[in-house]
Structures are given as C-alpha cells and as structure tokens.
Amino acid sequence: MTDAIGLQTLEQALNALTARISSLREAKSAYPADPRSTLDAALAELDTARELLDASVRELRKAPKRSGERESGSQRELKLLRQVFRTFPIPVVVLDASGVVRRISAETSRMLGSPAGYLIGRSFPLFVDVSRRAAFRSHLTAVQQGGQTATLQTRLAHQGRAHTVQLAVTRLTMPGEPQEMVAVMILPLEAQVAGPPHGPADRSDATLVMAAARRQELLSRMTRLLLDEESLRQPVTVTRASRLLAAEWADWVIADVVRDGMPRRACVLGPSDKPVTQLVRLAEGMNPLTAPALAHVLTGGSGVVHEMLEDDGLLGDVPAGPPLLRVMGAASVLIVPIGGENGVLGSLTLVRLRDREPFSLADLGLMEEIGVHLGLALRARRSFQTRSRAADALRTSVVPRSLPDIPGFEAAAIYNAGSSPVGAEFYDVFRAGEGWGFALGGAAGKGEEAASVSAMVRNGLRVLSVWETDPGEVMRKLNQALTAQHNGMFVMAVTGFIKARKIRLASAGHHPAALLRPDGGVRFTAGGGVPLGIAPEAEMFTEELTLTSGQTLVFYSDGLVASQNELGESYGETRLADVLARCVAQSPAEIVKTVEEDRHAFSGGRVWDEIVILALRVV
C-alpha cells in the first residue's frame, strides 16, 4: 500500500485491521501455550498499521491543495482523518524531533493509564525502560535522518503499568507542522499491572479523598514514631523514619544527615523483595556531596520532585560505574530537606521504580512536612541527650559506680531512682585519714538543684574527712557552709568513720541504722539530729559502735520505709527489722537485694521516691 488511497478505502482497511487484531487477541487467549504464531501475525499487522498511517498522512497532505467549493469537503476529510487516528486499534504516538509527545491515540492513553491531555508535552523516552532508553533515542535520530523505519523491543511503564512491547518508529511529514514528526506504533507483547492505577488517570472526588487520607495516615504514623521514647533515647530516629517510608511510600529511601557541617550518609534502604544488598552497600559508601540534586536541596533548603526522571545522574555515579539512579531502575525521584532552626540538618531521598505511580506535587508537600517533623525530632533528641548526659553526670556525682574494698568489712549498696530523672539521694564509701569513711543522705526536693546540693554535700564530706577525725565535726563545718549559701535547701545525712572494728557515727536528721546480729536480733541506732542547712549552729547527733564478727550495719533512705502498699500503709522500720532477721548469715549483697525485693512486693512495684540501701558487714 504505497500509493495514496481514498478515504472510503482507508476506512474499509482500518475496519478490517480492527477485526483482525480482535481475532488475534482471541487466539492469544484461547491458545496461551502457542504464542509464536500469534506474535508473528501481530508483527505483520503492525506493518499494515504503519502503511495505513502513511496513507492517512498522504491524504492529509492533499487537503490544503484543494480550493473553492471543495474547501468544506477538505475540512470534513481532515476531521475524518483525525477521528481515524483517535480510534486507531493499535497504540500510536506522534513525537516531535526532540521526542516530545505531540499527538496520542486513545488506545495509547488507555494502555499507559493516563488521559491524552496529561501525556502530551511529555518526553516519550521517559516511558521506555532505562536499559533501552539510549537505544530508543538512537533509533529516533536515525529515523529522522535516514527516513527508514526502525523497530525495537522494550518495556513501557507508567502509572503502575508495565508493558513489554514492540515499537515501530517511522518518519512523518504532518500538514500544518513546521517540522517533520515521528510516529511510534506500539504492539503490546505482554502487560503487567501492579494494581489499580492511581493519579492522573482517575481524578474523581473519591480517589482524591482516599489519596489525601493515605497521606494523612502516613503523617500521623510518622509523628507517633518520632515521639516514641526510643527515638529520643537511641540514635535511631532517621533510620526508623526511613524504614516507615520504605515500607509505605517508596522503593528506595536514602537518608543523609549533616554532622560537623558535612553531609554524611546515614541510611540506605532498598526493595525487600529484590537482591539489592551489593547496591545498598555501594550507595552507603557514596559521598552525598557528589550528588548534584542533594547539594541543591541541602544548600537551598527546599524540596524537589522529578515526576518522570530525565537526568539519571541526579544522585551521582556508583564507584567506577554508571549513575546510581540508572542502576536502581529509577523512574521518579523526590528529595526533601530535614529542617533545622539554623540550617538544614540533612535530606531524605525517595525513589520509585517504573512499575509504580510517579511522585506528585502532593507527595512533595507531604514529604516536606515530614522533613520538618523529622528535624524537630532530631533537635528534641539532641536536647534530650544533652539533658540526659547532664543528668548522668549529676547521678554519677551522687552515686559511685562501685564500692571500694574496706579491710575487715564487706560492703554492698543498691539504688533505685524511682520516678526522678535526676536523683537527690547519695551514698559513698571513701578513705578518711588513717581509716575509711562512708556516708548516706539526700537533699529535700527533686530535680537538678537538689541533686547539685547532694553532690556538694557528698564531695564536701570527702574533702573534710581528709583533715578531720571526728565525723560530727565534719558535719558541723559542712552545715555552716550550706547555711551560708542561703539557698533554702536542707539535707538529711549520716556519715561514719571506721577504724578497726569501731565505727563513729554522726547523724543530721537521718533515719537510724539497723544493726543485724548473728543470732537474728535487730536493733536500731539512735539516729536523729538536725538536717544540714537549717541553722548555722544545728546539733549533730553522734554515736560510737564496736562491731563483732558477723554483725551487719544497714543504712537506708526515707524512700524505703515510706513506700506504701495499695492500702496506703507504709513499709516502715518494723517490717524492715522482720526482713533483716531472716537475712542472718547472708552477705551484704544478698541482704540489700532481699530487702528491695520485699519492698517491691509490698508496694506492688510502685516507687515514688529514691531508695538507697547500704550494708556493711564485719568479716
């Protein structure tokens, strides 16, 4: 069919072609095990379709030459030919010299899953499989220059639909067009649909509402994840956020964070159903600064979306290899900054492959909001960690990491911080002159101020014990120093100096110690005195004990005896004495553990105040 034909003949040939293609589709469905003969026939029909399209173009060329009374007939013929093109039974696309879509048949729009208006103006090579895109562009150029028809087998993908197709590319001269065009006829060989198509193919109100609901749900889940306590305590904020996005919104997620003024790769996640371990490692080792798109987002502070990827070098090249996005098989890319008060804290890069719906401007808005939330979470974590380190430093200043060995004694202690993030109770064992000293107590109140006062008292006891041999004198001097500060804080404390088997105690408003004898008997020391920091001349109560082998002295904080059960009853010193009586012959470590376990059972695991128990046993 090389010559121009009449419109009636063209219309008849088109109807016959439509019928034959319908028969081939039925044959393919009826005989799926014998695709070869159907494929050969379909390729032959593709040549027939190309010839019909050539004939249509020749008819269009003739139209402008007609004049006079025949002008109205020419216009009717043009309309008829346009209708023929729209109803052509084989997908056909008309491209300009640069490969941009200028005309598209209804069958092509149906196959790709988008209306013609959405696809016109798009670069057609973006629909072609990445691995064959360069080959298609070469065929396109060769057809334009040489005029010969070229064929190419590849995959077309758009809106979650993937088709294995045979393309026939031929040159066209369109009437009314200043430049030559190229027609691409598409013969589908195999189609794969990844699910119901979304996006531009369906603009119904219900679809838009569902898409908005999905975005809102993702934002809500991300917020809950970022506010989780683990995200504040552990350096997992970015990783956890990336995992959620990889599971719900993208095939690939790359997270970069700024540390010491330089962007560093924090996380790379790929499709879980594909063997991408090696590619993940390559991406993890890449420098974010080599990626032009990342540099643009990190310096500009605004996100970008490439709905249909044209430049696969946006994320740089793998080491000694091709562009990273090309190896991934990327079709759509979205990059947003992780917001910070004084600059960008990092970036999130999301990549979708060709069998998924491309990213949209709505997705960009959602991810920019997530980037802001992630930035807030990172700043909150840094603030939390700063305060946590300060709290740990304060806790270390009131609670020793371990107890030293005291000649002739065994020592053990237990500390339960309760609900207080920063403890105000302290205990300590230290060298004092020619012997050893110990102390236990706590400032009235909670928080950092109370903890700092307790730390000052603990360190003051250590310093003064170097020169003073009487614990009562140490406490008096410490009381004078505390009252001179006029901070309104007071401290209940007990301290003792050990020399051989003699212990001299000084108490400033503290609970009495419990003395456990080898026969199971329990008695309490005097305790008492006035807490430190109330008055400059406050009285300290002193007492001297001489212990024998097997005796254990147990000191405890108010949090132990003040613990309550569900009836509001206090644990008290009577119950403590009963528990200690059952601890005869136990080591100090076993004693403090037994007492804490009993208190835990008594109070149902509830702890309102700090609990300190210190046991000293004569060997």
Side-chain angles (χ1 to χ4, degrees):
M1 192 181 297
T2 58
D3 299 327
I5 62 176
L7 288 177
Q8 183 176 3
T9 305
L10 176 62
E11 196 169 4
Q12 292 173 352
L14 182 60
N15 290 335
L17 176 63
T18 302
R20 291 196 301 274
I21 290 176
S22 178
S23 298
L24 287 175
R25 284 174 176 162
E26 293 175 0
K28 179 183 177 183
S29 300
Y31 306 100
D34 184 23
R36 180 68 185 181
S37 58
T38 304
L39 176 59
D40 291 340
L43 290 174
E45 294 293 358
L46 185 60
D47 289 333
T48 301
R50 179 182 59 79
E51 293 176 1
L52 285 174
L53 191 59
D54 285 339
S56 300
V57 170
R58 283 189 285 274
E59 287 296 319
L60 286 173
R61 288 175 182 168
K62 292 164 56 178
K65 297 180 181 179
R66 300 173 182 176
S67 60
E69 71 276 3
R70 309 183 71 177
E71 181 63 24
S72 59
S74 299
Q75 293 299 323
R76 286 195 297 271
E77 291 174 353
L78 285 172
K79 291 180 180 179
L80 177 59
L81 288 173
R82 292 192 185 101
Q83 183 63 27
V84 169
F85 176 77
R86 283 195 293 267
T87 60
F88 214 58
I90 291 178
V92 180
V93 181
V94 177
L95 313 178
D96 64 16
S98 62
V100 174
V101 177
R102 295 304 182 192
R103 304 280 192 279
I104 186 167
S105 68
E107 184 68 14
T108 309
S109 298
R110 184 198 65 77
M111 183 187 74
L112 294 179
S114 291
Y118 176 76
L119 295 174
I120 290 176
R122 306 277 178 169
S123 177
F124 185 78
L126 297 180
F127 302 107
V128 178
D129 188 77
V130 176
S131 63
R132 306 305 304 277
R133 194 173 293 173
F136 175 80
R137 287 196 172 102
S138 296
H139 283 302
L140 187 65
T141 301
V143 167
Q144 290 172 342
Q145 294 177 352
Q148 299 297 318
T149 298
T151 60
L152 174 72
Q153 182 170 322
T154 184
R155 291 176 75 247
L156 295 182
H158 183 56
Q159 296 295 346
R161 304 182 178 196
H163 303 265
T164 300
V165 300
Q166 186 82 15
L167 301 180
V169 186
T170 187
R171 189 171 65 184
L172 295 175
T173 301
M174 300 288 289
E177 294 288 348
Q179 58 180 338
E180 288 189 337
M181 297 290 185
V182 173
V184 180
M185 285 161 286
I186 307 168
L187 176 64
L189 304 179
E190 180 183 354
Q192 297 175 347
V193 180
H198 299 284
D202 189 350
R203 297 286 186 175
S204 65
D205 291 342
T207 301
L208 294 176
V209 170
M210 288 300 297
R214 287 182 63 239
R215 294 186 180 96
Q216 187 62 38
E217 180 185 6
L218 178 65
L219 184 60
S220 177
R221 291 180 62 187
M222 182 66 71
T223 301
R224 290 197 300 270
L225 181 148
L226 296 178
L227 291 177
D228 184 78
E229 185 175 351
E230 184 181 357
S231 294
L232 291 175
R233 293 186 177 277
Q234 303 294 330
V236 295
T237 307
V238 173
T239 302
R240 296 182 76 193
S242 299
R243 285 174 180 166
L244 177 59
L245 294 176
E248 300 288 338
W249 220 253
D251 295 299
W252 285 86
V253 176
I254 299 175
D256 297 299
V257 296
V258 177
R259 297 193 185 101
D260 301 325
M262 296 293 291
R264 304 177 189 278
R265 189 127 296 172
C267 178
V268 177
L269 298 173
S272 59
D273 59 343
K274 297 181 179 179
V276 294
T277 303
Q278 184 177 0
L279 184 55
V280 167
R281 290 175 179 170
L282 288 174
E284 287 175 340
M286 294 176 63
N287 183 354
L289 290 177
T290 63
L294 290 179
H296 173 76
V297 170
L298 290 172
T299 56
S302 60
V304 295
V305 59
H306 296 268
E307 181 184 2
M308 300 174 68
L309 184 64
E310 296 187 55
D311 181 7
D312 53 16
L314 293 175
L315 298 186
D317 301 339
V318 299
L324 176 63
L325 289 175
R326 184 186 304 171
V327 183
M328 288 179 173
S332 187
V333 177
L334 186 153
I335 309 173
V336 295
I338 299 174
E341 287 184 343
N342 300 315
V344 176
L345 300 178
S347 64
L348 285 174
T349 302
L350 279 66
V351 176
R352 282 181 180 172
L353 305 183
R354 300 182 57 79
D355 56 353
R356 291 189 63 173
E357 176 186 354
F359 291 116
S360 64
L361 288 176
D363 295 325
L364 176 62
L366 170 67
M367 291 304 149
E368 285 184 328
E369 185 68 18
I370 286 177
V372 172
H373 287 200
L374 185 54
L376 291 172
L378 288 176
R379 295 200 300 273
R381 182 183 174 275
R382 291 178 183 178
S383 176
F384 179 86
Q385 291 297 315
T386 299
R387 295 182 63 86
S388 180
R389 285 191 292 269
D392 290 342
L394 280 173
R395 188 175 296 113
T396 302
S397 68
V398 296
V399 177
R401 297 186 184 276
S402 61
L403 295 178
D405 294 328
I406 304 175
F409 284 82
E410 286 182 80
I414 195 168
Y415 172 81
N416 191 329
S419 60
S420 176
V422 181
E425 293 286 340
F426 70 90
Y427 70 91
D428 200 5
V429 175
F430 49 88
R431 292 298 300 262
E434 297 179 357
W436 288 85
F438 61 87
L440 186 143
K446 296 181 180 295
E448 296 176 0
E449 184 180 6
S452 63
V453 172
S454 292
M456 182 192 71
V457 171
R458 178 197 175 201
N459 293 329
L461 288 171
R462 276 178 166 260
V463 172
L464 292 173
S465 297
V466 174
W467 294 282
E468 297 291 342
T469 59
D470 180 14
E473 186 61 25
V474 170
M475 297 278 263
R476 278 188 287 273
K477 290 183 177 180
L478 196 58
N479 177 65
Q480 292 173 357
L482 193 59
T483 54
Q485 294 188 9
H486 302 291
N487 58 11
M489 300 289 290
F490 62 91
V491 179
M492 295 178 291
V494 60
T495 187
F497 287 176
I498 302 173
K499 192 172 184 179
R501 293 189 175 184
K502 288 186 178 182
I503 297 179
R504 186 168 180 80
L505 295 175
S507 176
H510 203 272
H511 287 283
L515 179 61
L516 172 62
R517 297 191 298 267
D519 61 0
V522 177
R523 77 173 182 88
F524 289 89
T525 61
V530 178
L532 304 174
I534 293 181
E537 302 300 329
E539 180 181 355
M540 310 301 154
F541 190 87
T542 59
E543 182 178 5
E544 187 172 295
L545 304 173
T546 301
L547 304 183
T548 59
S549 179
Q551 290 185 323
T552 303
L553 201 57
V554 180
F555 299 87
Y556 50 91
S557 65
D558 183 68
L560 172 67
V561 293
S563 294
Q564 295 182 347
N565 60 14
E566 59 184 8
L567 301 177
E569 300 170 336
S570 297
Y571 187 82
E573 291 172 342
T574 301
R575 185 181 180 98
L576 173 62
D578 292 340
V579 175
L580 289 176
R582 301 196 299 268
C583 295
V584 174
Q586 289 187 359
S587 67
E590 293 171 326
I591 290 175
V592 298
K593 181 180 178 182
T594 300
V595 173
E596 170 57 12
E597 289 177 347
D598 184 72
R599 183 216 59 81
H600 185 277
F602 174 81
S603 62
R606 295 181 297 273
V607 181
W608 289 273
D609 204 356
E610 297 166 86
I611 295 172
V612 178
I613 308 171
L614 173 65
L616 297 171
R617 181 173 182 269
V618 181
V619 179

